[in-house]
Amino acid sequence: MDFGGINPVTLIATLMVTSVPILLAALGEAVVERSGVLNLGVEGMMILGAIGGFITAVQTGSPVLGFLGGALAGAVLSAIFALLTQVFLANQVATGLALTLFGLGVSSLAGQGYNGIKPPATGKVPFGPLADIPVLGPILFGHDWVVYFSLAMVAAIWWVLRSTRAGLILRAVGENHDAAHALGYRVNRIRLLAILFGGAMAGMGGAYVSLVRVPQWTDGITAGAGWIALAIVVFASWRPWRVLIGAYLFGGISVLQLNLQAAGSAIPVEYLSMAPYLITILVLVVISSGKGKAATGAPAELGHNFHASR
Amino acid sequence: MLRLEKRPNPSRFWLYATPVVAVLLTMIAGGLLFAAMGKNPFEVIRTIFWDPIFGQFAFYLRGQLLVKAGPLILIAIGLALGFRAGIWNIGAEGQYIIGAICAAAVGLAAYPTESRWIFPAMVIAGAFGGWAWAMIPAILKTRFNTNEILVSLMLVYVAETIVAKAATGFLKNPEGMGFPGSRNLSTFPATANPELFAGSGLHWGGVTALVMAILAWVLLSRHILGFQIRLAGQAPRAARFNGVNPNRLVMLCMGASGALAGLAGMFEVTGPAGQITIDFGTGYGFTAIIVAFLGRLNPLGIVLAGFIMALTYVGGEMASTNLGLPDAAIQVFQGMLLFFLLGVDMLTNYRIRLRAAGTTVKGAL
């Protein structure tokens, strides 16, 4: 069952792996943005997570600790963002950009001496004979634990945002911070927690790039994945399940483009490799056209800082 | 317990003091970083900030300052216009690359003719290339309400693939023995952008940057359009009541910043860089964002900020060759500067008040 040298089962199984970094980062960013904060530093947090996770995994020999280290690195960087925007009330767009520039620099500094090293491998979850089922086996039972973790996070975030008190408070803060403040909620503290969560998710996504996807360390390894994650949040109208669809669509396009390159397609390699970015732009246009801010589902306070005057 | 109190008007003192304090704080934090890396912090700071101006090789390095500051200032001025109006063009790097490619294409098409009209045509092509590349996010923003931050940034990655294709394909030097890269434009009199005074580092890009700084200052402080730009940024609703057309502002600000970034790319490819290479984009477009903020989004401030940032480049290179400081440390240093700037900036709009403990209103944080 091949189409032009591309096997659809392998394609789906590969795209599930390819999408993990942007899925994790976009899920985290969706939570951050639902609390009314626009953190454009996803790329910076991802790449710091990538090197943080890589160093931890190489030093300890444990890929699980590596992912935790990546999450920690992302969270630490996002704490700077939280400090600047929630305490010093700095402009969120500018601070997010600063985070990316800073993260790229720090990661390249920290990564010196880690080029060309192979990190400890993250094994597949042993499902036994289940993995040998044709078609379903490779797609459902042939992955490492992070793939399943990312899927579980989609469900968990969806449930927390929809059905729990914490999710309701988070959304209230994002939709109307003055009202939330009047009700006695600590707006900036809730946002701080959301930002840290987003940082940890982005960091873990970055760690997946350097520990599983590539797997090694080079400067600028995330190559814009953080920005694509930001675009996917817009595409998904800030909803977790749509984030999953967006991330898998995007992952599918990346895999397809790589397969076409490998299959020696007539389209030059350069044009294929710009396809993911062009398609992201196209999708953004389709999503945002003809609708106002309310219709796209953007949180009303997105990007606005909160300062209690009373 | 400390608390913030919003000032009725932004503090004029802190407006000017913020960049100075931020640079000083960055020197301290950077010094700690360099010390942690096992370098003598005082020596590194001196190498970066003092030696290029007054040190042993200053006669050469001062010129290098102008070479680096020119494109930074040129790009940052354009960005500042947009940032003032709340229009976030962060894809200047892409516009810079496309400007350079368009200019180089015109110059190479004319090769080997000698005419004094070739260089002006290349200037126009460079500005046009940057403008056209910036028009993509601008038109998508005004027509479809698409986020200009994401689109302009995505286009940087597209531009980077195009420049790689140009260097290995359509602009490749036919006499380059198979190596990637275009003909060296700076070696042909018709297409070269040489130093205007030997050893000064000043080329047409630097001149353009200074002229544009003055023009932008006049625009922002004396022209109705500048007023509209500032109004749209500070009070979008008031701007609409005042008859400001937001779409027109988006087109103008994006177009201007794109054209200036394209010009910067044009002057770079004909001068210091000389040719289109695979890695032509060196990050000026991103560093210019820091320059724009360091200059307080004020054209004259940006000129000053451009020189300070050029110092970190030139001094950073010195520190890297003489003291073995990794290049990435300078990138970290520049990122830190933007952090401190944004943090200290709070003092412009807020004042810190001491408050006795216990009087905290619930939830007043």
Side-chain angles (χ1 to χ4, degrees):
Chain A
M1 208 169 61
D2 278 13
F3 299 104
I6 295 162
N7 181 339
V9 174
T10 338
L11 179 71
I12 294 172
T14 328
L15 83 81
M16 289 177 76
V17 173
T18 311
S19 314
V20 169
I22 41 175
L23 176 58
L24 286 173
L27 278 174
E29 180 66 14
V31 171
V32 177
E33 294 193 9
R34 283 300 272 273
S35 81
V37 178
L38 178 65
N39 184 354
L40 290 180
V42 183
E43 177 78 6
M45 301 186 298
M46 276 186 91
I47 196 145
L48 202 66
I51 187 61
F54 193 83
I55 293 176
T56 321
V58 167
Q59 295 295 342
T60 61
S62 153
V64 178
L65 283 180
F67 282 105
L68 289 179
L72 186 70
V76 167
L77 191 59
S78 74
I80 300 180
F81 178 87
L83 178 75
L84 281 170
T85 58
Q86 303 307 303
V87 179
F88 292 107
L89 303 170
N91 180 306
Q92 292 179 8
V93 174
T95 313
L97 292 176
L99 213 58
T100 295
L101 296 174
F102 185 71
L104 288 171
V106 173
S107 68
S108 138
L109 190 60
Q112 291 186 340
Y114 283 92
N115 290 320
I117 298 178
K118 213 172 156 50
T122 305
K124 290 179 177 174
V125 179
F127 278 108
L130 284 176
D132 299 329
I133 305 172
V135 182
L136 283 183
I139 293 175
L140 291 181
F141 303 110
H143 300 294
D144 55 68
W145 66 272
V146 190
V147 174
Y148 302 109
F149 172 80
S150 66
L151 290 170
M153 283 312 275
V154 177
I157 289 170
W158 167 76
W159 179 73
V160 167
L161 283 177
R162 196 193 62 136
S163 322
T164 67
R165 190 179 168 78
L168 194 63
I169 295 170
L170 185 95
R171 277 156 48 206
V173 167
E175 294 297 339
N176 190 334
H177 52 210
D178 290 314
H181 172 67
L183 286 170
Y185 295 118
R186 302 287 187 98
V187 173
N188 288 349
R189 190 173 299 178
I190 291 160
R191 287 184 171 166
L192 175 101
L193 292 174
I195 292 168
L196 289 178
F197 175 76
M201 291 287 277
M204 201 170 165
Y208 196 79
V209 178
S210 62
L211 289 179
V212 180
R213 271 278 307 281
V214 176
Q216 55 173 318
W217 169 254
T218 45
D219 277 3
I221 196 173
T222 46
W227 295 103
I228 287 161
L230 278 162
I232 283 174
V233 176
V234 179
F235 164 82
S237 312
W238 291 266
R239 290 178 203 169
W241 289 107
R242 292 198 198 172
V243 168
L244 177 70
I245 296 172
Y248 276 14
L249 270 180
F250 186 84
I253 291 163
S254 317
V255 174
L256 206 60
Q257 137 331 78
L258 283 176
N259 281 349
L260 284 174
Q261 283 189 19
S265 138
I267 313 167
V269 175
E270 286 87 355
Y271 298 124
L272 281 174
S273 51
M274 61 172 90
Y277 307 109
L278 290 177
I279 288 169
T280 308
I281 294 176
L282 197 70
V283 166
L284 279 177
V285 171
V286 172
I287 290 296
S288 50
S289 65
K291 287 191 278 184
K293 199 177 181 182
T296 57
E301 302 283 10
L302 188 59
H304 300 167
N305 274 341
F306 175 71
H307 177 246
S309 45
R310 281 170 295 142
Chain B
M1 178 70 186
L2 297 169
R3 68 169 298 219
L4 294 177
E5 187 181 282
K6 193 159 174 94
R7 294 178 194 270
N9 290 307
S11 154
R12 293 209 58 85
F13 169 74
W14 280 108
L15 198 62
Y16 295 107
T18 302
V20 180
V21 174
V23 170
L24 290 176
L25 284 174
T26 313
M27 283 188 189
I28 297 171
L32 291 175
L33 172 78
F34 301 141
M37 291 167 59
K39 311 277 176 210
N40 178 352
F42 298 101
E43 206 181 341
V44 177
I45 298 284
R46 203 199 67 217
T47 311
I48 296 176
F49 286 97
W50 182 266
D51 284 359
I53 313 178
F54 305 107
Q56 194 187 348
F57 300 105
F59 60 92
Y60 169 72
L61 295 175
R62 278 185 211 149
Q64 284 299 302
L65 280 183
L66 261 171
V67 170
K68 298 280 183 202
L72 287 175
I73 295 171
L74 205 49
I75 301 173
I77 285 170
L79 293 181
L81 291 181
F83 291 176
R84 277 276 183 107
I87 298 159
W88 298 95
N89 173 14
I90 59 169
E93 182 76 7
Q95 294 139 23
Y96 168 86
I97 291 173
I98 297 296
I101 292 179
C102 289
V106 168
L108 293 171
Y111 176 86
T113 1
E114 291 288 343
S115 157
R116 67 175 125 130
W117 297 108
I118 295 176
F119 195 75
M122 289 170 73
V123 171
I124 293 169
F128 174 80
W131 174 82
W133 204 243
M135 273 300 109
I136 301 173
I139 290 171
L140 295 182
K141 169 88 178 170
T142 51
R143 278 287 160 80
F144 304 109
N145 198 25
T146 313
N147 186 317
E148 80 277 16
I149 300 177
L150 293 172
V151 175
S152 62
L153 198 107
M154 290 291 153
L155 288 173
V156 174
Y157 292 100
V158 177
E160 280 174 353
T161 25
I162 293 180
V163 80
K165 182 75 188 158
T168 54
F170 58 88
L171 291 184
K172 193 168 135 188
N173 183 358
E175 291 152 22
M177 307 203 262
F179 286 107
S182 70
R183 279 180 203 279
N184 196 320
L185 294 163
S186 62
T187 53
F188 302 109
T191 56
N193 172 26
E195 278 183 326
L196 296 175
F197 312 100
S200 68
L202 185 73
H203 56 67
W204 285 112
V207 177
T208 315
L210 296 178
V211 172
M212 287 298 167
I214 295 166
L215 286 181
W217 182 79
V218 173
L219 173 81
L220 278 173
S221 55
R222 295 283 180 273
H223 194 273
I224 181 76
L225 184 63
F227 170 74
Q228 292 185 343
I229 287 174
R230 287 183 289 143
L231 188 62
Q234 285 167 9
R237 255 171 78 81
R240 275 206 298 283
F241 289 133
N242 212 335
V244 177
N245 181 349
N247 285 350
R248 188 168 151 258
L249 273 192
V250 170
M251 298 296 255
L252 279 170
C253 290
M254 290 293 272
S257 56
L260 290 183
L263 274 179
M266 181 273 159
F267 289 121
E268 195 68 16
V269 78
T270 49
Q275 58 177 156
I276 294 282
T277 47
I278 293 180
D279 50 357
F280 177 74
T282 44
Y284 280 140
F286 292 114
T287 318
I289 297 173
I290 306 179
V291 173
F293 279 104
L294 186 63
R296 309 251 33 163
L297 305 183
N298 176 324
L300 302 184
I302 285 171
V303 173
L304 213 66
F307 279 102
I308 294 176
M309 209 46 115
L311 260 182
T312 66
Y313 269 114
V314 176
E317 263 169 43
M318 284 287 285
S320 137
T321 44
N322 293 353
L323 307 172
L325 190 78
D327 292 337
I330 294 304
Q331 218 180 332
V332 174
F333 195 78
Q334 294 172 343
M336 268 200 276
L337 180 58
L338 187 47
F339 277 141
F340 282 116
L341 203 61
L342 294 165
V344 180
D345 200 24
M346 172 193 69
L347 295 170
T348 313
N349 290 311
Y350 296 87
R351 59 165 67 97
I352 299 172
R353 280 286 161 90
L354 267 174
R355 184 177 45 186
T359 58
T360 321
V361 186
K362 189 184 174 237
L365 183 75

